[in-house]
Amino acid sequence: MEKKELLYEGKAKKVYTTEDPDILIVSYKDDATAFNGLKKGTIVGKGAINNRMTNHIFGLLEKEGVPTHLVKELSDRETAVKKVEIVPLEVIIRNFSAGSFAKKMGMEEGIKFKCPTLEFSYKNDDLGDPFINSYYALALGLATQEEIDAITKYAFKVNEVMQKYFASLNIELIDFKIEFGRYHGQIILADEVSPDTCRLWDKDTHEKLDKDRFRRDLGNVEDAYQEVFRRLGIADRE
Ligand code: ADP
Ligand code: UDP
Protein backbone atom coordinates (compact mmCIF):
# COMPACT_ATOMS: atom_id res chain seq x y z
CA MET A 1 0.00 0.00 0.00
CA GLU A 2 1.38 3.40 -1.00
CA LYS A 3 0.88 6.97 0.24
CA LYS A 4 -0.68 9.25 -2.37
CA GLU A 5 -1.31 12.77 -1.08
CA LEU A 6 -0.86 14.43 2.28
CA LEU A 7 -4.43 14.93 3.44
CA TYR A 8 -3.71 16.52 6.82
CA GLU A 9 -0.76 17.30 9.04
CA GLY A 10 -1.63 17.41 12.71
CA LYS A 11 0.47 18.01 15.80
CA ALA A 12 1.55 14.38 16.20
CA LYS A 13 0.72 12.62 12.94
CA LYS A 14 0.53 13.07 9.19
CA VAL A 15 -2.40 11.53 7.36
CA TYR A 16 -2.14 10.43 3.71
CA THR A 17 -4.64 9.24 1.14
CA THR A 18 -4.07 5.96 -0.72
CA GLU A 19 -5.40 4.39 -3.93
CA ASP A 20 -8.29 3.03 -1.88
CA PRO A 21 -10.78 5.81 -0.93
CA ASP A 22 -11.65 3.88 2.25
CA ILE A 23 -8.06 3.61 3.48
CA LEU A 24 -5.63 6.20 4.84
CA ILE A 25 -2.03 5.88 5.97
CA VAL A 26 -1.12 7.59 9.25
CA SER A 27 2.50 8.45 9.89
CA TYR A 28 3.49 9.14 13.50
CA LYS A 29 5.94 11.97 14.20
CA ASP A 30 8.34 12.58 17.09
CA ASP A 31 6.88 16.11 17.49
CA ALA A 32 5.29 16.83 20.84
CA THR A 33 3.00 19.69 21.79
CA ALA A 34 1.17 20.66 24.95
CA PHE A 35 -1.18 23.38 26.16
CA ASN A 36 -2.99 23.55 22.82
CA GLY A 37 0.22 23.89 20.83
CA LEU A 38 1.84 26.60 23.00
CA LYS A 39 4.66 24.28 24.12
CA LYS A 40 6.52 22.47 21.36
CA GLY A 41 9.31 19.92 21.36
CA THR A 42 10.58 16.58 20.16
CA ILE A 43 10.47 13.25 21.92
CA VAL A 44 12.98 11.07 20.09
CA GLY A 45 11.52 7.68 19.17
CA LYS A 46 7.97 8.64 20.18
CA GLY A 47 6.44 8.21 16.72
CA ALA A 48 7.44 4.56 16.44
CA ILE A 49 6.42 3.79 20.04
CA ASN A 50 3.00 5.43 19.69
CA ASN A 51 2.35 3.72 16.36
CA ARG A 52 3.25 0.25 17.61
CA MET A 53 1.57 0.69 21.00
CA THR A 54 -1.67 1.93 19.42
CA ASN A 55 -1.78 -1.02 17.02
CA HIS A 56 -1.02 -3.52 19.78
CA ILE A 57 -3.80 -2.16 21.99
CA PHE A 58 -6.28 -1.77 19.13
CA GLY A 59 -5.62 -5.47 18.36
CA LEU A 60 -6.51 -6.40 21.96
CA LEU A 61 -9.62 -4.22 21.83
CA GLU A 62 -10.82 -5.80 18.58
CA LYS A 63 -10.62 -9.21 20.29
CA GLU A 64 -12.81 -7.81 23.08
CA GLY A 65 -15.46 -6.59 20.64
CA VAL A 66 -14.47 -2.93 20.19
CA PRO A 67 -14.31 -2.13 16.44
CA THR A 68 -11.27 -0.01 15.49
CA HIS A 69 -9.82 1.69 12.41
CA LEU A 70 -6.76 -0.60 12.36
CA VAL A 71 -6.08 -2.26 9.00
CA LYS A 72 -2.36 -3.05 8.93
CA GLU A 73 0.90 -1.86 10.45
CA LEU A 74 3.11 -0.98 7.49
CA SER A 75 6.33 0.01 9.26
CA ASP A 76 7.60 1.34 12.59
CA ARG A 77 5.87 4.66 12.07
CA GLU A 78 3.16 3.98 9.49
CA THR A 79 -0.17 2.21 9.63
CA ALA A 80 -3.01 1.73 7.17
CA VAL A 81 -6.35 2.64 8.77
CA LYS A 82 -9.97 2.84 7.76
CA LYS A 83 -10.82 6.39 6.72
CA VAL A 84 -13.48 7.67 9.08
CA GLU A 85 -15.34 10.90 9.59
CA ILE A 86 -14.06 11.86 13.02
CA VAL A 87 -16.82 12.64 15.54
CA PRO A 88 -15.60 16.01 16.89
CA LEU A 89 -15.65 14.88 20.51
CA GLU A 90 -12.62 14.07 22.64
CA VAL A 91 -13.82 11.32 24.93
CA ILE A 92 -12.03 11.35 28.28
CA ILE A 93 -12.28 8.55 30.79
CA ARG A 94 -10.80 8.93 34.27
CA ASN A 95 -10.15 6.35 36.99
CA PHE A 96 -8.10 8.64 39.28
CA SER A 97 -7.99 12.41 39.79
CA ALA A 98 -5.30 14.16 37.72
CA GLY A 99 -4.66 17.07 35.36
CA SER A 100 -7.53 19.41 34.59
CA PHE A 101 -9.95 17.43 36.78
CA ALA A 102 -7.73 17.76 39.87
CA LYS A 103 -7.33 21.49 39.20
CA LYS A 104 -11.03 22.10 38.60
CA MET A 105 -12.17 20.11 41.63
CA GLY A 106 -9.42 21.36 43.95
CA MET A 107 -8.17 17.82 44.56
CA GLU A 108 -4.71 16.37 44.70
CA GLU A 109 -3.77 13.95 41.93
CA GLY A 110 -3.97 10.19 42.30
CA ILE A 111 -7.22 9.84 44.26
CA LYS A 112 -9.10 6.75 43.04
CA PHE A 113 -12.74 7.38 42.07
CA LYS A 114 -15.64 5.20 43.27
CA CYS A 115 -16.33 4.50 39.60
CA PRO A 116 -14.84 5.71 36.28
CA THR A 117 -15.97 9.06 34.85
CA LEU A 118 -16.61 10.01 31.22
CA GLU A 119 -16.56 13.50 29.78
CA PHE A 120 -16.55 15.11 26.36
CA SER A 121 -14.54 17.99 24.96
CA TYR A 122 -15.54 19.65 21.72
CA LYS A 123 -12.61 18.91 19.39
CA ASN A 124 -11.85 22.45 18.24
CA ASP A 125 -8.31 23.83 18.53
CA ASP A 126 -9.43 27.46 18.06
CA LEU A 127 -11.59 27.18 21.16
CA GLY A 128 -9.05 25.09 23.11
CA ASP A 129 -11.22 21.92 23.14
CA PRO A 130 -13.87 23.17 25.63
CA PHE A 131 -15.65 20.81 28.02
CA ILE A 132 -19.19 20.04 26.82
CA ASN A 133 -21.92 17.58 27.76
CA SER A 134 -24.05 15.30 25.58
CA TYR A 135 -26.86 17.91 25.39
CA TYR A 136 -24.45 20.38 23.78
CA ALA A 137 -23.27 17.65 21.39
CA LEU A 138 -26.89 16.92 20.41
CA ALA A 139 -27.89 20.59 20.19
CA LEU A 140 -24.92 21.44 17.98
CA GLY A 141 -25.43 18.33 15.83
CA LEU A 142 -21.96 16.97 16.65
CA ALA A 143 -23.39 13.46 17.10
CA THR A 144 -26.75 11.70 17.35
CA GLN A 145 -28.09 10.10 20.54
CA GLU A 146 -27.43 6.65 19.03
CA GLU A 147 -23.83 7.63 18.30
CA ILE A 148 -23.35 9.05 21.80
CA ASP A 149 -24.74 5.81 23.26
CA ALA A 150 -22.36 3.69 21.15
CA ILE A 151 -19.39 5.94 21.99
CA THR A 152 -20.20 5.78 25.72
CA LYS A 153 -20.56 1.99 25.68
CA TYR A 154 -17.31 1.47 23.76
CA ALA A 155 -15.38 4.03 25.83
CA PHE A 156 -16.17 2.23 29.11
CA LYS A 157 -15.28 -1.09 27.45
CA VAL A 158 -11.96 0.36 26.29
CA ASN A 159 -11.32 1.44 29.88
CA GLU A 160 -12.13 -2.00 31.26
CA VAL A 161 -9.82 -3.77 28.79
CA MET A 162 -6.97 -1.25 29.10
CA GLN A 163 -7.13 -1.00 32.90
CA LYS A 164 -6.79 -4.78 33.19
CA TYR A 165 -4.06 -4.95 30.57
CA PHE A 166 -1.95 -2.14 32.04
CA ALA A 167 -2.38 -3.62 35.53
CA SER A 168 -0.69 -6.76 34.19
CA LEU A 169 2.29 -4.51 33.25
CA ASN A 170 2.29 -2.99 36.75
CA ILE A 171 0.91 0.26 35.34
CA GLU A 172 -2.06 2.22 36.72
CA LEU A 173 -4.29 3.70 34.01
CA ILE A 174 -5.10 7.10 35.51
CA ASP A 175 -7.03 8.62 32.59
CA PHE A 176 -7.04 8.78 28.78
CA LYS A 177 -8.53 10.46 25.72
CA ILE A 178 -9.92 8.59 22.71
CA GLU A 179 -11.64 9.58 19.47
CA PHE A 180 -14.27 7.78 17.46
CA GLY A 181 -15.28 8.00 13.80
CA ARG A 182 -18.07 7.07 11.44
CA TYR A 183 -17.28 4.30 8.99
CA HIS A 184 -20.08 3.17 6.68
CA GLY A 185 -22.67 4.11 9.29
CA GLN A 186 -20.87 2.44 12.20
CA ILE A 187 -19.04 4.04 15.11
CA ILE A 188 -15.47 2.74 15.39
CA LEU A 189 -12.48 3.66 17.55
CA ALA A 190 -9.94 5.82 15.65
CA ASP A 191 -6.85 7.97 16.28
CA GLU A 192 -4.41 6.59 18.90
CA VAL A 193 -3.83 5.23 22.38
CA SER A 194 -0.33 6.06 23.62
CA PRO A 195 1.61 7.83 26.39
CA ASP A 196 0.63 11.05 24.55
CA THR A 197 -3.05 10.40 25.23
CA CYS A 198 -3.06 8.35 28.46
CA ARG A 199 -1.79 9.03 31.97
CA LEU A 200 0.17 5.95 32.99
CA TRP A 201 1.75 5.65 36.44
CA ASP A 202 4.00 2.90 37.75
CA LYS A 203 1.79 1.05 40.26
CA ASP A 204 4.44 0.86 42.99
CA THR A 205 6.41 4.09 42.67
CA HIS A 206 3.65 6.23 41.03
CA GLU A 207 6.32 7.45 38.62
CA LYS A 208 4.71 9.14 35.62
CA LEU A 209 5.31 7.21 32.38
CA ASP A 210 3.51 9.57 29.99
CA LYS A 211 3.40 13.00 28.35
CA ASP A 212 3.09 14.78 31.71
CA ARG A 213 6.90 14.39 31.87
CA PHE A 214 7.07 16.67 28.80
CA ARG A 215 4.19 18.97 29.79
CA ARG A 216 5.65 19.57 33.27
CA ASP A 217 9.38 19.45 32.41
CA LEU A 218 9.97 16.45 34.68
CA GLY A 219 12.92 15.10 32.65
CA ASN A 220 13.55 11.54 31.36
CA VAL A 221 10.75 11.95 28.81
CA GLU A 222 12.19 9.50 26.26
CA ASP A 223 12.98 6.99 29.03
CA ALA A 224 9.36 7.00 30.15
CA TYR A 225 8.05 6.23 26.64
CA GLN A 226 10.71 3.51 26.24
CA GLU A 227 9.77 2.01 29.60
CA VAL A 228 6.11 1.67 28.62
CA PHE A 229 7.18 0.20 25.28
CA ARG A 230 9.49 -2.28 27.03
CA ARG A 231 6.70 -3.43 29.37
CA LEU A 232 4.36 -4.01 26.41
CA GLY A 233 6.78 -6.75 25.32
CA ILE A 234 6.52 -5.86 21.63
CA ALA A 235 9.93 -4.22 21.26
CA ASP A 236 11.40 -7.21 19.39
CA ARG A 237 9.78 -7.54 16.01
CA GLU A 238 9.61 -11.11 14.83
P1 ADP B 1 -4.29 16.87 15.90
O1 ADP B 1 -5.23 17.02 14.74
O2 ADP B 1 -5.02 16.98 17.21
O3 ADP B 1 -3.11 17.75 15.82
P2 ADP B 1 -2.82 14.42 15.11
O4 ADP B 1 -1.51 15.06 14.81
O5 ADP B 1 -2.81 13.15 15.87
O6 ADP B 1 -3.83 15.36 15.93
O7 ADP B 1 -3.53 14.23 13.70
C1 ADP B 1 -4.25 13.13 13.34
C2 ADP B 1 -5.61 13.57 12.88
O8 ADP B 1 -6.21 12.49 12.17
C3 ADP B 1 -6.54 13.90 14.04
O9 ADP B 1 -7.24 15.09 13.74
C4 ADP B 1 -7.47 12.70 14.12
O10 ADP B 1 -8.76 13.08 14.57
C5 ADP B 1 -7.50 12.23 12.68
N1 ADP B 1 -7.74 10.78 12.51
C6 ADP B 1 -7.34 9.78 13.31
N2 ADP B 1 -7.72 8.58 12.84
C7 ADP B 1 -8.40 8.83 11.69
C8 ADP B 1 -9.07 8.00 10.72
N3 ADP B 1 -9.11 6.67 10.86
N4 ADP B 1 -9.69 8.61 9.67
C9 ADP B 1 -9.66 9.96 9.54
N5 ADP B 1 -9.04 10.79 10.40
C10 ADP B 1 -8.41 10.24 11.47
N1 UDP C 1 -5.70 14.41 26.60
C1 UDP C 1 -5.28 14.26 25.29
N2 UDP C 1 -5.44 15.32 24.42
C2 UDP C 1 -6.00 16.48 24.78
C3 UDP C 1 -6.44 16.64 26.12
C4 UDP C 1 -6.27 15.60 27.01
O1 UDP C 1 -4.81 13.19 24.91
O2 UDP C 1 -6.13 17.39 23.94
C5 UDP C 1 -5.56 13.29 27.56
C6 UDP C 1 -4.47 13.55 28.59
O3 UDP C 1 -3.25 12.99 28.16
C7 UDP C 1 -5.00 12.83 29.79
C8 UDP C 1 -6.52 12.89 29.64
O4 UDP C 1 -6.77 13.18 28.28
O5 UDP C 1 -4.60 11.47 29.74
C9 UDP C 1 -7.19 13.91 30.53
O6 UDP C 1 -6.60 15.15 30.33
P1 UDP C 1 -7.01 16.44 31.19
O7 UDP C 1 -8.41 16.81 30.90
O8 UDP C 1 -6.67 16.21 32.62
O9 UDP C 1 -6.18 17.60 30.55
P2 UDP C 1 -4.73 18.15 30.76
O10 UDP C 1 -4.41 18.10 32.20
O11 UDP C 1 -3.89 17.25 29.90
O12 UDP C 1 -4.88 19.53 30.21
Side-chain angles (χ1 to χ4, degrees):
M1 194 162 304
E2 305 255 312
K3 297 188 291 241
K4 228 171 104 185
E5 274 171 48
L6 180 66
L7 181 66
Y8 175 78
E9 175 156 9
K11 297 185 287 292
K13 301 190 282 298
K14 291 183 189 175
V15 182
Y16 297 89
T17 58
T18 67
E19 300 296 310
D20 185 336
D22 267 346
I23 305 289
L24 298 174
I25 292 176
V26 289
S27 178
Y28 286 70
K29 307 190 285 185
D30 284 354
D31 298 356
T33 64
F35 313 118
N36 201 23
L38 280 179
K39 183 181 167 89
K40 291 192 175 74
T42 301
I43 302 175
V44 176
K46 171 172 89 79
I49 290 173
N50 288 5
N51 179 43
R52 299 202 42 213
M53 175 167 170
T54 296
N55 295 340
H56 178 63
I57 290 182
F58 278 20
L60 300 177
L61 290 168
E62 288 273 358
K63 280 194 200 133
E64 299 290 337
V66 178
T68 78
H69 74 174
L70 176 63
V71 175
K72 189 176 192 293
E73 188 171 286
L74 302 174
S75 68
D76 269 3
R77 282 174 192 272
E78 294 186 349
T79 295
V81 301
K82 293 174 181 160
K83 178 180 183 170
V84 302
E85 183 189 351
I86 291 285
V87 177
L89 297 173
E90 300 206 329
V91 184
I92 296 170
I93 295 266
R94 302 177 191 271
N95 297 303
F96 289 77
S97 62
S100 69
F101 181 97
K103 199 167 169 199
K104 184 161 55 182
M105 302 305 285
M107 269 167 94
E108 59 181 300
E109 295 198 300
I111 308 293
K112 183 156 196 189
F113 298 141
K114 292 191 167 58
C115 58
T117 68
L118 178 148
E119 72 203 47
F120 297 124
S121 294
Y122 176 30
K123 194 172 147 63
N124 183 318
D125 280 341
D126 295 339
L127 300 176
D129 301 338
F131 185 98
I132 61 167
N133 65 20
S134 57
Y135 291 98
Y136 281 34
L138 286 172
L140 298 175
L142 306 179
T144 65
Q145 186 63 59
E146 291 70 31
E147 288 174 335
I148 291 171
D149 291 345
I151 286 170
T152 303
K153 180 186 78 178
Y154 287 142
F156 281 119
K157 182 72 187 177
V158 169
N159 186 46
E160 207 184 290
V161 173
M162 289 217 299
Q163 227 186 353
K164 213 179 282 171
Y165 178 65
F166 282 118
S168 77
L169 310 179
N170 209 41
I171 290 173
E172 199 75 79
L173 177 62
I174 302 297
D175 58 27
F176 61 92
K177 182 270 299 178
I178 47 180
E179 295 179 21
F180 291 88
R182 304 180 179 99
Y183 185 75
H184 295 291
Q186 295 301 309
I187 288 290
I188 68 174
L189 181 63
D191 206 49
E192 66 173 287
V193 171
S194 71
D196 274 10
T197 63
C198 302
R199 284 196 170 93
L200 304 169
W201 292 8
D202 180 89
K203 259 192 193 269
D204 299 323
T205 65
H206 297 168
E207 188 189 357
K208 293 178 178 26
L209 301 173
D210 56 59
K211 201 165 118 180
D212 273 347
R213 300 204 75 83
F214 168 78
R215 293 188 188 102
R216 302 178 188 187
D217 296 318
L218 299 176
N220 299 327
V221 184
E222 275 90 2
D223 293 346
Y225 280 70
Q226 291 291 347
E227 177 60 17
V228 174
F229 192 48
R230 190 189 64 75
R231 291 193 201 186
L232 293 171
I234 54 169
D236 297 315
R237 207 180 261 285
E238 66 280 0

